[in-house]
């Protein structure tokens, strides 16, 4: 089974209110075929969404780190989550796959939406990551938000363990001006390999 990650925006990418609002703001700030520069985002426009917005940055080792946490992420990971890697949201079994998905946001400068699932809570969540340029015009910043299915977080104390244990559908949206050789669609393959240990394990590949 193949789940297409198209170069055009899909309805599934913007079905949540905060996700829709932040993506619209991100899209409006794109200039001359470039993704927005982090210092150019006006604080007054982010104001209504600040409590639900996460600011991410790449560390010296290119790990995705939480710079500013949202209320939801703080509820999930605790008050000291600033400076932690974003993959703390995920159980060990899916951490490396999750990190590869997020790394594509920075490498391709493409917005991403991924569904995070958990057997411990009554609802999952959709994580949206929107890439940004830093002052040196390098893609090392991002905005992110968690939209919980049903509109709110539902579950017990998640601070002791990673809250999400499965990956659901993944979407990437088109960057403003694709680089040469980036016109191929990016595809998420959900298993299908004979003898694979986990048929639901997603992996990424470029197809012509």
């Amino acid at each position: 089974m193949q789940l297409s990650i198209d170069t055009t925006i899909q309805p599934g990418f913007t079905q949540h209110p905060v996700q829709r609002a932040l993506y619209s703001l991100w899209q409006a700030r794109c200039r001359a075929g470039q993704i927005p520069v982090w210092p150019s985002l006006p604080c007054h426009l982010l104001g209504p969404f600040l409590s639900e917005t996460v600011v991410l940055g790449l560390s010296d080792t290119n790990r995705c780190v939480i710079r500013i946490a949202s209320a939801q992420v703080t509820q999930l990971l605790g008050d000291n989550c600033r400076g932690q890697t974003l993959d703390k949201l995920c159980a060990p079994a899916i951490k490396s796959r999750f990190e590869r998905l997020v790394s594509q946001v920075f490498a391709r400068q493409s917005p991403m939406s991924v569904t995070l699932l958990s057997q411990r809570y009554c609802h999952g969540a959709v994580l949206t990551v929107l890439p940004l340029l830093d002052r040196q015009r390098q893609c090392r910043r991002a905005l992110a938000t968690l939209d919980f299915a049903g509109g709110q977080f539902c579950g017990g104390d998640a601070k002791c363990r990673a809250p999400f244990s499965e990956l659901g559908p993944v979407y990437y949206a088109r960057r403003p001006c694709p680089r040469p050789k980036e016109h191929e669609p990016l595809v998420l393959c959900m298993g299908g390999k004979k003898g694979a240990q986990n048929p639901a394990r997603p992996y990424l590949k470029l197809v012509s």
Side-chain angles (χ1 to χ4, degrees):
M1 172 181 159
Q2 289 189 337
L3 177 66
S4 176
I5 304 176
D6 294 334
T7 54
T8 56
I9 195 69
Q10 296 195 16
F13 189 91
T14 54
Q15 61 182 327
H16 302 282
V18 180
Q19 181 189 53
R20 209 164 37 234
L22 283 182
Y23 178 74
S24 297
L25 174 62
W26 179 90
Q27 201 172 34
R29 303 301 295 184
C30 292
R31 294 288 185 273
Q34 280 197 332
I35 62 174
V37 179
W38 163 237
S40 75
L41 292 177
C43 292
H44 69 279
L45 292 180
L46 284 174
F49 317 109
L50 281 178
S51 65
E52 300 175 86
T53 301
V54 183
V55 178
L56 304 172
L58 290 182
S59 68
D60 293 340
T61 57
N62 289 326
R63 299 288 303 280
C64 188
V65 173
I66 298 168
R67 300 300 186 194
I68 301 175
S70 67
Q72 293 101 326
V73 170
T74 299
Q75 185 180 9
L76 289 169
L77 298 181
D79 295 332
N80 61 343
C81 60
R82 184 177 177 181
Q84 294 187 33
T85 55
L86 187 63
D87 63 11
K88 294 285 187 184
L89 290 169
C90 298
I94 63 168
K95 267 191 178 185
S96 61
R97 287 175 277 148
F98 175 78
E99 192 170 347
R100 285 197 298 273
L101 292 175
V102 174
S103 71
Q104 290 292 315
V105 174
F106 297 96
R108 298 175 62 87
Q109 299 185 16
S110 300
M112 179 195 74
S113 166
V114 56
T115 300
L116 303 173
L117 304 172
S118 174
Q119 297 178 350
R120 297 168 52 206
Y121 308 122
C122 53
H123 298 298
V126 174
L127 173 71
T128 305
V129 184
L130 305 170
L132 300 169
L133 300 177
D134 61 16
R135 294 180 186 275
Q136 288 72 43
R137 297 298 195 272
Q138 294 182 327
C139 186
R140 300 185 65 82
R141 294 278 182 179
L143 292 179
T145 185
L146 271 175
D147 282 284
F148 289 101
Q152 61 182 354
F153 170 72
C154 178
D157 185 6
K159 298 176 186 177
C160 58
R161 289 190 295 171
F164 301 107
S165 56
E166 297 178 45
L167 297 175
V170 181
Y171 300 98
Y172 287 88
R174 180 166 45 189
R175 64 191 296 269
C177 183
R179 295 183 185 128
K181 299 182 181 179
E182 280 198 0
H183 297 285
E184 302 96 336
L186 191 62
V187 168
L188 177 67
C189 298
M190 304 294 288
K193 267 194 168 183
K194 190 174 181 181
Q197 291 183 349
N198 182 0
R201 177 175 296 175
Y203 63 94
L204 291 172
K205 70 174 183 178
L206 287 172
V207 296
S208 56

